[in-house]
Amino acid sequence: HAALDLAETLIEVGRTTEEMDKELHTFICDHGAYPSDLQYKGFPKSVMISINEVICHGIPDLRPLEDGDLVNVDVTLYLEGFHADTARSWICGEGDDTGHRLVRATREALAAAIASCAAGKPLKCIGEAVAEVAERENFGIVKTLVGHGIGEFFHGVPQIFHCRNSDNRKMQLGTTFTIEPVLTEGSAEWITWPDGWTVATADGQRAAQFEHTVLITEAGCEVLT
């Protein structure tokens, strides 16, 4: 949470995502945590920063941010034996109405998904909650990139689908997983860039993502990030 609060202050025209990564790396380490992404399966940076058409796994680089860029910062930390994964999206500078609406809708979709959670409810409730928001706003949903179990491990079961689905497995009391919907202004189909990491929309239109790590409780869920 604090790392993303810092990230928000770093998003300004002319700043590079490489500079943002360095600032966030220092902040994370100074607070006793370790950036889980760093060298995870060879990922070269401490955080993932995805711009405009990049859906996720963006590698920070030397391109300066421009007015209107849609910026998604995804931070995973390892602290006191546990991983936690979270992401937010912002518009750099003034932006445009569609970009702001895409960010607002994706934030709302995550909130709706979190509100649908409770022990004993089917996992498909999460995808239905996201879909209701996306369909109302006429945005696409990236269907094949999923949330995941997390805790002492970085990625595990259960997989969490953010679209309408038939997953009737019940949410289990005490389990932790990520909810991380991605909405798109155009097609939800995606490609992977030659770097092997960067996932981008196939049509080059923008995507936004919000993410939290949650703990399932009897009353609902607790947001851990």
Side-chain angles (χ1 to χ4, degrees), residues 72-150:
N72 168 25
V73 179
D74 188 327
V75 174
T76 307
L77 303 180
Y78 184 72
L79 180 65
E80 298 178 357
F82 295 91
H83 296 274
D85 195 354
T86 186
R88 295 181 211 159
S89 296
W90 301 269
I91 299 292
C92 180
E94 294 297 322
D96 63 286
D97 289 346
T98 301
H100 285 289
R101 189 166 63 85
L102 178 60
V103 169
R104 285 196 303 269
T106 311
R107 184 190 300 112
E108 181 186 347
L110 174 59
I114 290 170
S116 76
C117 290
K121 294 184 67 175
L123 286 168
K124 68 181 182 182
C125 289
I126 294 169
E128 290 169 355
V130 172
E132 287 181 7
V133 176
E135 291 164 3
R136 185 195 73 211
E137 297 295 332
N138 199 30
F139 289 130
I141 304 171
V142 176
K143 298 179 180 180
T144 49
L145 298 175
V146 298
H148 52 88
I150 190 170

Side-chain angles (χ1 to χ4, degrees), residues 47-93:
V47 299
M48 295 177 172
I49 304 179
S50 304
I51 310 297
N52 294 329
E53 77 274 20
V54 177
I55 291 170
C56 62
H57 305 162
I59 301 172
D61 60 21
L62 298 176
R63 173 191 175 277
L65 293 176
E66 300 176 4
D67 184 76
D69 279 344
L70 198 159
V71 183
N72 168 25
V73 179
D74 188 327
V75 174
T76 307
L77 303 180
Y78 184 72
L79 180 65
E80 298 178 357
F82 295 91
H83 296 274
D85 195 354
T86 186
R88 295 181 211 159
S89 296
W90 301 269
I91 299 292
C92 180

Side-chain angles (χ1 to χ4, degrees), residues 80-216:
E80 298 178 357
F82 295 91
H83 296 274
D85 195 354
T86 186
R88 295 181 211 159
S89 296
W90 301 269
I91 299 292
C92 180
E94 294 297 322
D96 63 286
D97 289 346
T98 301
H100 285 289
R101 189 166 63 85
L102 178 60
V103 169
R104 285 196 303 269
T106 311
R107 184 190 300 112
E108 181 186 347
L110 174 59
I114 290 170
S116 76
C117 290
K121 294 184 67 175
L123 286 168
K124 68 181 182 182
C125 289
I126 294 169
E128 290 169 355
V130 172
E132 287 181 7
V133 176
E135 291 164 3
R136 185 195 73 211
E137 297 295 332
N138 199 30
F139 289 130
I141 304 171
V142 176
K143 298 179 180 180
T144 49
L145 298 175
V146 298
H148 52 88
I150 190 170
E152 294 179 314
F153 49 87
F154 191 170
H155 292 98
V157 295
Q159 287 189 324
I160 305 298
F161 296 95
H162 304 108
C163 56
R164 296 191 188 279
N165 63 83
S166 58
D167 191 348
N168 286 310
R169 291 177 298 166
K170 305 300 183 185
M171 298 181 203
Q172 300 296 314
L173 183 67
T175 57
T176 54
F177 53 77
T178 69
I179 304 175
E180 45 187 296
V182 178
L183 302 191
T184 61
E185 62 178 337
S187 170
E189 299 301 312
W190 54 272
I191 58 172
T192 303
W193 286 4
D195 61 28
W197 280 102
T198 308
V199 175
T201 59
D203 62 5
Q205 296 198 69
R206 292 172 295 183
Q209 181 184 38
F210 282 80
E211 175 183 14
H212 273 309
T213 298
V214 301
L215 167 68
I216 298 301

